[in-house]
Amino acid sequence: MEVSLEVVNVPFAIALLAWIIIDILKRRGHENDSNNDDDVKGKIRGYLRVFNVVTVVFSIIIFVLYLGFGFYTYWNYGIVPTKSVCLAITWFVASLVLIYWMDRGFSELKPRPPLVLILWWVFSFGLVSFSVLVYVVRLLGFRELPYRLPEPDIVDVVSLPLLVLFCCRCCCRPLSHGELERPLLLRKENDDDSSFNNASIWSQLTFQWLNPLFEKGRIEKLELHHIPSVPESETADNASLLLEESIRKQKTKSTSLPKAITGTVWKSLAINAVFAGLNTIASYIGPFLISNFVNFLTQKDDSSSYHYGLVLAFIFFFSKTVESLTQRLWYFGAHRIGIRVRAALTVLIYKKSLSTKFVGPSNGKVINLINVDAERIGDFCWYIHGVWLLPIQVFLALVILYWNLGAAPSVAAVFATILVMVSNTPLANRQERLHSKIMEAKDSRIKVTSETLKSMRVLKLHSWEPTFLNKLLQLRETERNWLKKYLYTCSAVAFLFWASPTLVSVITFGVCILLETPLTSGTVLSALATFRILQEPIYNLPELISMIAQTKVSFDRIQEFLGEEDQRKFITSSGPKESGVAVEIKAGEYAWDSSSQSLKNPTIKITEKMKIMKGYKIAICGSVGSGKSSLLCSILGEIPRISGAVIKVYGKKAYVPQRPWVQTGTIRENILFGKDMDDAFYERVLEACALNQDIEMWDNKDMSVVGERGMNLSGGQKQRIQLARAVYSDSDIYILDDPFSAVDAHTGTHLFKKCLKGLLSEKTVIYATHQLEFLDAADLVLVMKDGLIVQSGKYEELIADSDGELVRQMNAHRKSLDQMNPPQDNDSLIAKPCQISQIEVIEEKYGDPICFGKLFERSQEEETETGRVKWSVYSTFVTAAYKGALVPVVLLCQVLFQGLQIGSNYWIAWATEENHKVSREQLIGTFVMLSGGSSIFILGRAVLLATIAIETAQRLFLGMITSVFRAPISFFDSTPSSRILNRSSTDQSTLDTDIPYRLAGLAFALIQLFSIIILMSHVAWQIFLLFIVILGISFWYQTYYITTARELARMVGSRKAPILHHFSESITGAGTIRCFNQEDRFIEKNLSLIDDYSRVAFHNSGTMEWLCVRINFLFNFVFFLVLIILVSLPRSTIDPSLAGLAATYGLNLNVLQAWVIWNLCNVENKMISVERVLQFTNIASEAPLVIEDRRPKPEWPTEGTIELENLQVQYKPTLPVVLKGITCTFPGEMKIGVVGRTGSGKSTLIQALFRVVEPSGGRIIIDGVDISTIGLQDLRSRLGIIPQDPTLFQGTIRTNLDPLQQHSDQEIWEVLDKCRLADIVRQDQRLLDAPVAEDGENWSVGQRQLVCLARVLLKKRRILVLDEATASIDTATDNVIQETIREETSKCTVITVAHRIPTVIDNDLVLVLDKGKIVEYDKPGNLLEDSCSSFSKLVAEFLRSSPKSNNNNNVHHR
């Protein structure tokens, strides 16, 4: 048989020679061919050169080995070995072919070698593998083989790994002609050539396709554009389409989401299952063969057994290599499936939330569905194979134990394993229960944090932030109590995990000793290795059960959300169009809440049919809460219809909601809203919406970036931007909800003339308004009261009805105008020539408008660190709890545990040898004592670690949250709340339950690794030198890897936020997006954001596997060399038990090393969370809340006199001065109105009064006290303010009116009566305990403003500031409120920043500001007498924009 096989080598040698000769002859005619593509091919040549040189070197090594072995045989035995000679010749010729091909073929960029060479490599690999397998079968004595089959020699065994490499070399893909022709520039733009898509099998196996990314990361900081895109299968579009298709295929009514997902990824799951199965089988080969190896070491010198030892060493190496590779491919495959599933679910949830109408899902719920549930389902792909692998692992362990120890001990071991699993289950259940409690507590804390951050300006102005901080700290304390219980339960689980091999081994060996089962060091060590492998499934079972339960909950939550009825039946239809009709309203009832109570009392009841003709202007008016917005929503189809026919809308719609919705992006993007740019029309729209002046002020004009929720725009600017968006859309029907409330009289008039009567003159416009002066221009007026249209008709007809609702409202309006009528006739005032240079009163946002552009560009980009995480971060973290005193104790516990565990294992291996006469009692007693001691230390370690973790997390949390609450308002203006929330949720969670264990895990793994190195070096000192080399190489790999991995980890964190932000933004503006038919564009944007996240996550997981593959191989190779050293050392020089123990621990070496490296990299990645939290502990803080030695008297201020002395304010030293030396006195108990155009400094003056901005010069004195010398709390708590944006908190009416709980119910009811809120509150049986939704969503905007007024009246402050406090209130209510303010504040100093002139007309004094200076300051009567005064011009402008005098007269006659 051998001779016939050796003869086959000869034809191969001849064929290889023939190939060279033929190729030389063929080339003779082509020698002069030029190659023009040198530049293009140079880079590719560089990649191939290394691989080809390595192949040649290996080929020559094999030739030299066979030649050397032939000489050795001839020298010792005088025989010429045919096999060695034939193989040496063939490998020599093969090497020649390779060298020749490299020289010739390489220049033509053909990476695949000649076919004849490939055949030779494959044939050699097959033959050598077969002969090694035959030898192993015969050696282990499984069965006698019938024929004399070829046996391997030492060269065959050594050359087998090299032959594996040759076979992989065959897999290189040749480059296509198209790829060669592609220019270099194009390749640079699209780096996907080096990515996963085009990787060969070998490249995918070893993750070589990541090399270009590592090169890039080493040279420069990685950005998103450097990272190649994900494979097509992982793109969000592809994944979601497949999932939707899978859901559609399910014929049943109730769709099963798990089935649908499995249907889309079953192929990938099957491939992954193969890797998982191979990994499990390979991991059990080591424990199975360890007894053979130890038995081999204990035998006396036997020359024939040397080969046996080498073969065993090679099998160990091969099985560990297979185990490592399959594990890496399994984990990476699981990551890929997870990315695909996550992307698909996220897209489905987004599409659903965008299409859900009627106060769709709450923002928080949807964010949770993506952040928690979709994430958990993606993560479950890791655990899914554990379901079927667990029984296989237990079965394989049982087989090995049965093989080594017999039936009874193996059954005892299984029972002990089951016992540990069962005892672990209640702990795991408790863990899960506590985890859900932590999540609930965290949800409550995050909800309050989110609300607090949104309202931080109001809290600081009212000086409520200490109260809200305490509320937050109480919630954190609840969370911390659950966390404490959870972490101590985790300690018990960790103790059980580490003690389980000890417990199982004590029971098993105890049974062996009782039954007098013969034990050898080989069988003992094999059993110990098996127990160690069993540790994993024991530990994983409860986690697996918990993960299945959690994933099921997540599936149910997402399925319930996706399965909610779309309620499409309520959508307004646009059937066959009737000529000239724009909207057809039919009788029907509508209610936001479709509960039984709402069916009796619908929000809106339409009693008669109505047709709105094309081009009509329809005005809707009514008092606060009468149902104006709800009527508009019924036309849009955004409110559920209880009964009646569908409202039909013919044509494209545009919608301007009452609460402005602007996107994060530029002003231009907000206005265009997906439409193409038409410069001329765009300019007309800007002019019509009075945006030109604002845009001119901003640095980047209309390319200035709008921040989160438009937080640095004023209410009026946001309103006008969304009005411009509607006008630019060029729709047929415009639905405007109170578009003039946030703007002043002049701007309102401008918008009405230029927009409604100008650009929209030919369009159908339906607008709700409180400004009754805009009613007379409407073709039809609808008057609403209590959800009913009580009057409808032309303005003239309705005004003629003296008992009508409109006349009642007009009378109130007239009353407010009468206050302002100057002594002379209106017409004469308006006709004055000075009127030409009108001063416009436009709303002013908080902060300086000039710095808008700069401010936002700075705020949009999150500040991230670069490079390594600094050592100061680590030291701060480690010493945060008890100044680091417990850290050395924890490490000592680990060292003692490790020492005692190795000692106990060595003892039982040593004591079971025949020549050591140890009694059974002594044997098991010492073993139990050593094992028990190690377990006690592990328990101590776990408990101490939990204590450190709890304390560290709490200290860092307190540092961050206190720092954030003490930050100035400018910090919140420039920092999106999502950024702070991210740190207090995601990063804080990592601090609570992750980082301490990661950091400790790294230290523990290092101690374990060093203990194994010491143990092995003790057996043979040469091993220590090997480890030094290997650790050096590992360290180099790790430093090479970390630069890229660190940036990828940072990117994973930062790429998740835009998805959540886009979701949140889209849900808030879903009604607007639907109305403009922009769903597709938003879905596209969402797909793009998900793909950005996926590509970072995909490459992030790939880089980890890249490192593990390389370092696993290094340590497997070291293990192989260790075994060869143990085999080759003389038996007299080694202790077989110790050597066996070293080999047993060596089986875990690759797992341990991977654990060290994984932790090393993960710790740095996770420490980024600590770094981010610490960033927010060092924010520059405001002035102290209280200065003890400068506290004012309890009754201060007594008079309320405010003196401004040369007041100068600038927002930053680099920015211009806003208030330029203002000097004036606001006398006590007077009413002072402050007016002026945009940028005049009105709001800055108020901010200086509350010290939101500190003066850069001059001072403010209140009742003789310089306010800059006292604490902020003492100042702000003595002043009252009603800000422009009404802010309500989630809770009850009582907590909203009196957050500090300082007032009785009677006092609260008194102010509710004064503010016309008592009747509304009494409608709910719960009265003052009636719930207020998040942001006060269950109250209308006008009602919210009344609550804010009641809040201030309740405080009874001597100084009160009103910042346009009644902008969203109808005139009748406004008059009542003004009267209430006058009565209630008769003894107070009231400063009113006015947009509506009637608000300040009856004040004692009016201050007119312009460009930061005082223009006028006098009594309004005096100022009105001078028709050229700035104040007169403002009044005249307001009167001109009010209803025509004849209509007003009508009101008087009635």
Side-chain angles (χ1 to χ4, degrees):
M1 181 84 177
E2 271 192 63
V3 175
S4 60
L5 282 169
E6 277 148 18
V7 169
V8 178
N9 294 340
V10 179
F12 267 112
I14 295 165
L16 287 163
L17 268 173
W19 182 86
I20 293 176
I21 294 160
I22 291 163
D23 199 67
I24 289 169
L25 292 169
K26 266 167 70 178
R27 288 175 181 284
R28 272 197 170 168
H30 304 284
E31 269 185 4
N32 295 328
D33 284 2
S34 64
N35 188 350
N36 298 323
D37 290 332
D38 282 350
D39 290 340
V40 180
K41 297 171 183 174
K43 199 174 177 183
I44 303 163
R45 235 185 245 122
Y47 288 138
L48 293 173
R49 190 185 308 279
V50 179
F51 207 177
N52 289 329
V53 169
V54 170
T55 313
V56 171
V57 170
F58 283 174
S59 185
I60 293 168
I61 286 172
I62 295 175
F63 154 65
V64 171
L65 285 172
Y66 276 118
L67 191 64
F69 189 68
F71 274 116
Y72 171 78
T73 309
Y74 179 70
W75 190 268
N76 284 337
Y77 307 105
I79 304 165
V80 177
T82 322
K83 177 186 169 185
S84 297
V85 172
C86 290
L87 283 167
I89 292 167
T90 315
W91 277 108
F92 175 71
V93 179
S95 302
L96 279 179
V97 169
L98 253 178
I99 293 164
Y100 170 78
W101 169 76
M102 263 184 71
D103 185 48
R104 292 285 191 186
F106 168 59
S107 64
E108 293 180 2
L109 298 166
K110 292 179 182 171
R112 191 169 283 166
L115 182 62
V116 66
L117 195 58
I118 290 171
L119 290 173
W120 165 241
W121 286 343
V122 172
F123 171 75
S124 301
F125 173 70
L127 186 62
V128 171
S129 303
F130 178 68
S131 59
V132 168
L133 186 67
V134 166
Y135 181 66
V136 171
V137 170
R138 185 177 291 134
L139 200 65
L140 296 174
F142 290 135
R143 64 171 56 186
E144 250 336 290
L145 297 167
Y147 305 110
R148 182 160 163 23
L149 296 170
E151 286 195 9
D153 52 37
I154 185 69
V155 181
D156 288 339
V157 175
V158 173
S159 65
L160 186 58
L162 304 181
L163 288 167
V164 172
L165 183 87
F166 286 137
C167 289
C168 293
R169 182 69 186 83
C170 305
C171 302
C172 272
R173 188 176 62 84
L175 292 165
S176 66
H177 182 70
E179 283 173 305
L180 295 180
E181 295 301 317
R182 192 181 302 159
L184 275 173
L185 281 172
L186 186 66
R187 181 158 304 188
K188 189 154 189 165
E189 281 169 28
N190 182 9
D191 252 347
D192 283 9
D193 280 3
S194 56
S195 72
F196 185 82
N197 294 316
N198 301 321
S200 64
I201 294 169
W202 174 251
S203 180
Q204 287 191 23
L205 204 62
T206 58
F207 295 89
Q208 270 188 342
W209 51 275
L210 282 164
N211 287 1
L213 189 64
F214 280 110
E215 279 299 315
K216 181 73 77 177
R218 203 163 58 90
I219 298 162
E220 57 184 305
K221 186 189 172 186
L222 278 185
E223 302 288 348
L224 185 66
H225 61 86
H226 292 140
I227 298 165
S229 55
V230 286
E232 183 60 31
S233 58
E234 269 75 51
T235 57
D237 192 25
N238 186 61
S240 60
L241 288 175
L242 284 172
L243 183 55
E244 284 170 352
E245 183 63 32
S246 184
I247 291 171
R248 272 199 298 275
K249 280 180 184 170
Q250 292 186 22
K251 300 285 188 282
T252 53
K253 280 186 181 176
S254 57
T255 308
S256 167
L257 191 60
K259 265 189 192 171
I261 288 173
T262 311
T264 60
V265 296
W266 71 269
K267 284 181 184 169
S268 303
L269 279 174
I271 293 166
N272 221 19
V274 172
F275 288 133
L278 281 173
N279 175 262
T280 304
I281 292 162
S283 67
Y284 276 91
I285 288 173
F288 179 64
L289 290 181
I290 200 80
S291 58
N292 294 43
F293 189 75
V294 176
N295 293 339
F296 161 77
L297 291 179
T298 50
Q299 288 167 7
K300 300 302 167 206
D301 278 332
D302 177 10
S303 56
S304 65
S305 67
Y306 180 71
H307 285 85
Y308 178 61
L310 286 177
V311 169
L312 279 176
F314 177 75
I315 293 169
F316 275 125
F317 174 65
F318 185 72
S319 66
K320 295 308 284 178
T321 305
V322 169
E323 183 192 343
S324 300
L325 277 177
T326 49
Q327 189 177 44
R328 304 284 50 101
L329 293 166
W330 167 21
Y331 286 177
F332 183 63
H335 259 299
R336 284 188 66 189
I337 297 167
I339 286 168
R340 195 182 313 174
V341 169
R342 213 174 287 129
L345 286 173
T346 308
V347 174
L348 258 64
I349 292 166
Y350 183 77
K351 285 181 177 175
K352 179 70 186 179
S353 56
L354 207 55
S355 66
T356 304
K357 296 194 160 208
F358 324 134
V359 197
S362 77
N363 226 324
K365 183 185 174 183
V366 175
I367 295 296
N368 261 348
L369 286 178
I370 308 158
N371 232 353
V372 179
D373 297 305
E375 201 73 32
R376 188 177 287 147
I377 292 169
D379 290 343
F380 184 65
C381 301
W382 270 67
Y383 295 86
I384 197 162
H385 297 302
V387 178
W388 59 271
L389 279 178
L390 189 75
I392 291 175
Q393 286 170 316
V394 174
F395 172 74
L396 288 174
L398 191 61
V399 167
I400 293 171
L401 291 172
Y402 177 74
W403 181 276
N404 285 316
L405 303 174
S410 55
V411 170
V414 168
F415 274 117
T417 304
I418 291 167
L419 176 72
V420 174
M421 283 182 176
V422 168
S423 59
N424 206 353
T425 308
L427 283 174
N429 290 340
R430 178 177 160 81
Q431 236 181 334
E432 189 184 344
R433 208 166 49 248
L434 290 170
H435 192 262
S436 61
K437 290 286 185 190
I438 291 172
M439 292 312 290
E440 283 170 25
K442 195 184 292 301
D443 282 349
S444 307
R445 176 172 64 81
I446 295 302
K447 206 170 188 180
V448 171
T449 310
S450 171
E451 194 170 45
T452 307
L453 292 174
K454 274 193 277 187
S455 318
M456 190 54 87
R457 181 180 290 278
V458 172
L459 296 183
K460 283 193 176 287
L461 291 173
H462 285 296
S463 191
W464 286 343
E465 78 270 32
T467 310
F468 275 75
L469 176 59
N470 287 333
K471 183 181 175 185
L472 205 56
L473 293 177
Q474 283 167 9
L475 289 169
R476 171 65 187 176
E477 194 53 41
T478 310
E479 183 187 354
R480 184 174 173 235
N481 289 334
W482 290 118
L483 183 68
K484 202 180 281 185
K485 290 174 186 172
Y486 173 75
L487 289 182
Y488 284 131
T489 307
C490 288
S491 302
V493 172
F495 165 68
L496 210 55
F497 172 69
W498 288 104
S500 61
T502 306
L503 184 67
V504 174
S505 55
V506 165
I507 292 171
T508 309
F509 295 141
V511 170
C512 286
I513 287 164
L514 280 173
L515 299 176
E516 297 186 355
T517 306
L519 288 175
T520 65
S521 55
T523 54
V524 163
L525 290 170
S526 177
L528 285 172
T530 308
F531 297 147
R532 200 168 290 118
I533 282 196
L534 262 182
Q535 189 180 9
E536 209 62 38
I538 288 171
Y539 181 67
N540 285 345
L541 178 68
E543 193 183 355
L544 183 66
I545 293 166
S546 148
M547 195 66 194
I548 290 169
Q550 287 179 31
T551 309
K552 187 184 181 304
V553 170
S554 291
F555 267 126
D556 292 344
R557 277 162 57 89
I558 292 178
Q559 192 158 333
E560 181 193 358
F561 176 70
L562 295 177
E564 283 171 6
E565 198 184 334
D566 258 350
Q567 313 214 28
R568 289 285 179 189
K569 60 184 177 183
F570 296 125
I571 295 176
T572 50
S573 74
S574 46
K577 187 170 181 180
E578 286 190 40
S579 59
V581 176
V583 182
E584 198 175 334
I585 301 174
K586 297 184 178 176
E589 293 183 352
Y590 299 83
W592 287 110
D593 180 11
S594 48
S595 63
S596 54
Q597 190 184 351
S598 303
L599 300 180
K600 295 172 195 163
N601 301 308
T603 312
I604 291 291
K605 190 171 182 180
I606 300 169
T607 50
E608 53 190 66
K609 188 176 173 183
M610 198 182 303
K611 285 185 181 178
I612 295 171
M613 306 309 286
K614 192 179 170 190
Y616 265 37
K617 305 288 176 282
I618 312 295
I620 302 171
C621 65
S623 58
V624 172
S626 60
K628 301 183 294 297
S629 299
S630 298
L631 177 64
L632 295 180
C633 287
S634 68
I635 296 169
L636 286 167
E638 293 288 333
I639 178 171
R641 176 168 51 88
I642 300 168
S643 64
V646 177
I647 293 177
K648 290 182 179 175
V649 178
Y650 305 104
K652 274 167 59 186
K653 306 186 292 289
Y655 174 48
V656 177
Q658 187 176 14
R659 288 199 74 179
W661 177 75
V662 288
Q663 273 183 283
T664 306
T666 63
I667 305 284
R668 181 180 292 180
E669 283 166 358
N670 269 288
I671 295 171
L672 297 184
F673 207 56
K675 285 184 74 79
D676 294 331
M677 181 68 166
D678 175 346
D679 290 321
F681 185 51
Y682 180 74
E683 286 303 324
R684 284 167 60 205
V685 169
L686 289 184
E687 203 274 322
C689 295
L691 278 168
N692 279 334
Q693 190 183 357
D694 301 81
I695 286 173
E696 284 305 313
M697 281 193 308
W698 299 328
D699 280 359
N700 296 330
K701 305 294 184 271
D702 63 346
M703 297 310 283
S704 297
V705 181
V706 176
E708 187 183 20
R709 301 190 313 277
M711 64 185 172
N712 262 47
L713 296 172
S714 69
Q717 285 166 337
K718 286 187 272 192
Q719 188 74 286
R720 284 179 285 128
I721 286 170
Q722 63 167 2
L723 182 62
R725 174 173 66 210
V727 175
Y728 191 82
S729 70
D730 195 23
S731 302
D732 302 311
I733 296 138
Y734 289 81
I735 295 167
L736 317 178
D737 193 354
D738 206 2
F740 313 117
S741 65
V743 297
D744 60 84
H746 168 79
T747 313
T749 310
H750 177 95
L751 294 177
F752 192 76
K753 287 178 184 170
K754 298 284 184 176
C755 275
L756 266 73
K757 288 181 155 186
L759 286 177
L760 304 182
S761 57
E762 303 295 314
K763 309 284 186 180
T764 309
V765 182
I766 305 169
Y767 60 99
T769 184
H770 285 302
Q771 278 88 332
L772 303 182
E773 57 266 30
F774 298 131
L775 296 183
D776 61 332
D779 298 299
L780 179 68
V781 177
L782 305 179
V783 185
M784 299 207 66
K785 187 179 182 183
D786 300 330
L788 292 167
I789 300 173
V790 290
Q791 279 184 294
S792 68
K794 287 199 175 295
Y795 178 75
E796 288 77 11
E797 296 166 8
L798 299 182
I799 213 75
D801 179 3
S802 58
D803 302 324
E805 175 69 15
L806 181 64
V807 168
R808 192 186 68 76
Q809 291 187 25
M810 287 302 294
N811 282 335
H813 184 62
R814 184 69 211 164
K815 192 176 167 188
S816 78
L817 289 177
D818 285 345
Q819 297 167 4
M820 294 195 305
N821 274 337
Q824 62 268 65
D825 185 66
N826 281 355
D827 293 331
S828 63
L829 176 67
I830 292 166
K832 292 279 179 189
C834 330
Q835 190 62 37
I836 299 161
S837 58
Q838 297 166 1
I839 290 189
E840 301 171 5
V841 188
I842 302 176
E843 72 291 342
E844 181 185 7
K845 62 181 168 57
Y846 275 107
D848 178 27
I850 300 162
C851 61
F852 174 86
K854 289 177 185 168
L855 199 141
F856 263 116
E857 281 170 64
R858 184 173 59 78
S859 78
Q860 288 305 302
E861 278 308 311
E862 182 166 355
E863 182 191 336
T864 55
E865 303 286 342
T866 53
R868 289 191 75 90
V869 174
K870 295 180 182 68
W871 284 112
S872 58
V873 175
Y874 287 95
S875 64
T876 306
F877 184 75
V878 171
T879 56
Y882 313 110
K883 297 186 177 173
L886 292 179
V887 174
V889 184
V890 171
L891 294 177
L892 182 65
C893 283
Q894 173 66 17
V895 171
L896 291 169
F897 157 71
Q898 197 64 39
L900 287 172
Q901 197 183 46
I902 291 174
S904 68
N905 290 349
Y906 176 62
W907 163 257
I908 198 151
W910 177 84
T912 47
E913 286 183 21
E914 289 172 24
N915 53 352
H916 299 128
K917 301 297 181 191
V918 178
S919 68
R920 290 191 302 173
E921 293 79 12
Q922 202 180 353
L923 173 73
I924 199 73
T926 309
F927 182 65
V928 168
M929 197 172 66
L930 289 168
S931 301
S934 72
S935 300
I936 288 165
F937 282 117
I938 212 74
L939 181 62
R941 184 197 87 177
V943 171
L944 287 173
L945 186 56
T947 309
I948 292 172
I950 294 160
E951 186 63 20
T952 305
Q954 186 67 3
R955 281 181 181 276
L956 291 175
F957 174 77
L958 286 173
M960 174 180 71
I961 208 72
T962 311
S963 177
V964 166
F965 267 72
R966 291 291 298 114
I969 285 181
S970 57
F971 169 76
F972 299 96
D973 285 344
S974 61
T975 310
S977 61
S978 58
R979 204 173 290 170
I980 304 169
L981 280 175
N982 228 336
R983 281 165 171 81
S984 64
S985 60
T986 315
D987 292 323
Q988 188 60 43
S989 289
T990 313
L991 255 72
D992 287 344
T993 55
D994 206 358
I995 299 178
Y997 292 93
R998 287 257 190 270
L999 209 53
L1002 174 62
F1004 301 157
L1006 281 169
I1007 290 169
Q1008 272 184 286
L1009 186 64
F1010 287 131
S1011 66
I1012 293 175
I1013 292 173
I1014 292 163
L1015 175 66
M1016 288 181 164
S1017 305
H1018 186 65
V1019 176
W1021 64 267
Q1022 299 91 332
I1023 295 168
F1024 187 69
L1025 300 175
L1026 270 175
F1027 270 112
I1028 288 174
V1029 174
I1030 292 300
L1031 286 172
I1033 297 170
S1034 301
F1035 184 71
W1036 179 85
Y1037 263 127
Q1038 197 265 337
T1039 47
Y1040 179 76
Y1041 155 88
I1042 198 69
T1043 48
T1044 301
R1046 191 192 296 120
E1047 297 310 323
L1048 282 171
R1050 282 190 172 123
M1051 258 190 258
V1052 168
S1054 62
R1055 297 316 309 174
K1056 190 75 188 269
I1059 299 176
L1060 301 179
H1061 179 69
H1062 185 249
F1063 252 88
S1064 174
E1065 207 168 57
S1066 302
I1067 293 164
T1068 311
T1072 309
I1073 294 166
R1074 282 193 293 270
C1075 182
F1076 283 88
N1077 293 321
Q1078 290 287 318
E1079 292 101 322
D1080 289 347
R1081 185 169 69 86
F1082 275 76
I1083 288 167
E1084 267 310 307
K1085 167 86 170 163
N1086 186 49
L1087 291 175
S1088 158
L1089 289 171
I1090 294 169
D1091 281 344
D1092 284 349
Y1093 174 70
S1094 292
R1095 73 206 261 205
V1096 176
F1098 178 84
H1099 287 85
N1100 188 40
S1101 66
T1103 50
M1104 181 68 78
E1105 306 308 339
W1106 178 93
L1107 183 68
C1108 287
V1109 161
R1110 278 145 186 77
I1111 297 190
N1112 272 344
F1113 181 79
L1114 280 175
F1115 275 80
N1116 288 337
F1117 189 63
V1118 167
F1119 181 51
F1120 178 51
L1121 293 176
V1122 167
L1123 294 178
I1124 286 176
I1125 289 170
L1126 293 177
V1127 166
S1128 56
L1129 281 173
R1131 299 292 171 270
S1132 56
T1133 60
I1134 55 170
D1135 174 354
S1137 301
L1138 199 58
L1141 188 66
T1144 309
Y1145 272 97
L1147 287 174
N1148 254 24
L1149 202 58
N1150 68 322
V1151 176
L1152 192 57
Q1153 152 276 318
W1155 182 236
V1156 168
I1157 293 298
W1158 190 72
N1159 261 324
L1160 201 62
C1161 303
N1162 233 337
V1163 158
E1164 179 144 24
N1165 293 345
K1166 295 286 181 184
M1167 283 305 281
I1168 291 165
S1169 289
V1170 180
E1171 184 181 71
R1172 282 157 57 82
V1173 166
L1174 289 176
Q1175 264 179 4
F1176 274 21
T1177 54
N1178 303 317
I1179 307 163
S1181 100
E1182 283 188 305
L1185 291 175
V1186 174
I1187 300 172
E1188 285 301 338
D1189 56 340
R1190 303 303 300 270
R1191 298 202 71 168
K1193 293 174 183 173
E1195 64 276 7
W1196 179 86
T1198 48
E1199 294 173 18
T1201 303
I1202 302 168
E1203 298 168 56
L1204 309 178
E1205 294 182 1
N1206 191 28
L1207 183 66
Q1208 295 172 25
V1209 175
Q1210 60 186 134
Y1211 284 90
K1212 276 185 184 176
T1214 53
L1215 294 171
V1217 177
V1218 183
L1219 295 182
K1220 301 164 184 172
I1222 289 186
T1223 302
C1224 65
T1225 301
F1226 297 164
E1229 301 182 10
M1230 289 269 198
K1231 310 287 181 287
I1232 295 101
V1234 181
V1235 293
R1237 64 192 296 281
T1238 301
S1240 61
K1242 302 190 299 291
S1243 290
T1244 307
L1245 179 64
I1246 301 306
Q1247 291 188 74
L1249 183 63
F1250 281 83
R1251 285 178 64 194
V1252 169
V1253 185
E1254 296 286 355
S1256 54
R1259 57 185 188 154
I1260 301 175
I1261 297 170
I1262 299 177
D1263 285 2
V1265 176
D1266 182 348
I1267 65 168
S1268 62
T1269 62
I1270 61 173
L1272 290 180
Q1273 192 170 347
D1274 285 334
L1275 170 69
R1276 291 170 182 171
S1277 61
R1278 311 294 174 92
L1279 308 177
I1281 182 167
I1282 304 178
Q1284 191 177 355
D1285 288 331
T1287 304
L1288 265 60
F1289 308 100
Q1290 190 165 14
T1292 63
I1293 293 168
R1294 182 186 275 104
T1295 57
N1296 266 283
L1297 289 171
D1298 182 23
L1300 308 186
Q1301 298 173 348
Q1302 295 171 331
H1303 302 278
S1304 66
D1305 283 9
Q1306 187 184 346
E1307 288 176 290
I1308 294 173
W1309 280 112
E1310 279 175 16
V1311 294
L1312 287 174
D1313 275 322
K1314 288 167 187 169
C1315 296
R1316 303 297 186 271
L1317 277 171
D1319 292 340
I1320 299 168
V1321 174
R1322 287 193 181 99
Q1323 286 172 10
D1324 194 306
Q1325 295 170 351
R1326 290 164 289 192
L1327 300 174
L1328 293 179
D1329 293 319
V1332 174
E1334 192 176 346
D1335 292 335
E1337 286 291 351
N1338 54 344
W1339 292 67
S1340 76
V1341 178
Q1343 287 167 339
R1344 276 179 246 169
Q1345 256 178 344
L1346 295 179
V1347 172
C1348 290
L1349 177 66
R1351 195 187 274 163
V1352 169
L1353 294 180
L1354 192 63
K1355 286 171 74 176
K1356 297 188 173 71
R1357 297 288 176 251
R1358 300 287 300 179
I1359 296 173
L1360 180 63
V1361 176
L1362 308 178
D1363 189 3
E1364 191 53 45
T1366 53
S1368 294
I1369 298 175
D1370 59 279
T1371 316
T1373 314
D1374 188 17
N1375 289 342
V1376 174
I1377 296 305
Q1378 293 299 336
E1379 206 171 301
T1380 305
I1381 292 173
R1382 278 193 289 275
E1383 288 169 11
E1384 291 298 312
T1385 60
S1386 57
K1387 301 282 184 192
C1388 303
T1389 306
V1390 180
I1391 302 166
T1392 308
V1393 176
H1395 299 174
R1396 288 183 181 185
I1397 296 303
T1399 317
V1400 295
I1401 203 76
D1402 66 336
N1403 283 186
D1404 301 313
L1405 294 164
V1406 171
L1407 174 70
V1408 183
L1409 291 176
D1410 187 35
K1411 295 180 183 172
K1413 293 179 181 174
I1414 297 176
V1415 180
E1416 295 166 357
Y1417 183 42
D1418 203 345
K1419 292 179 179 177
N1422 295 347
L1423 293 174
L1424 286 172
E1425 283 171 12
D1426 178 5
S1427 59
C1428 284
S1429 74
S1430 299
F1431 187 63
S1432 297
K1433 295 168 192 169
L1434 295 174
V1435 173
E1437 178 60 34
F1438 181 79
L1439 289 172
R1440 288 205 308 164
S1441 67
S1442 296
K1444 302 290 181 288
S1445 54
N1446 61 344
N1447 292 337
N1448 297 334
N1449 295 337
N1450 283 344
V1451 179
H1452 280 298
H1453 295 316
R1454 301 286 165 194

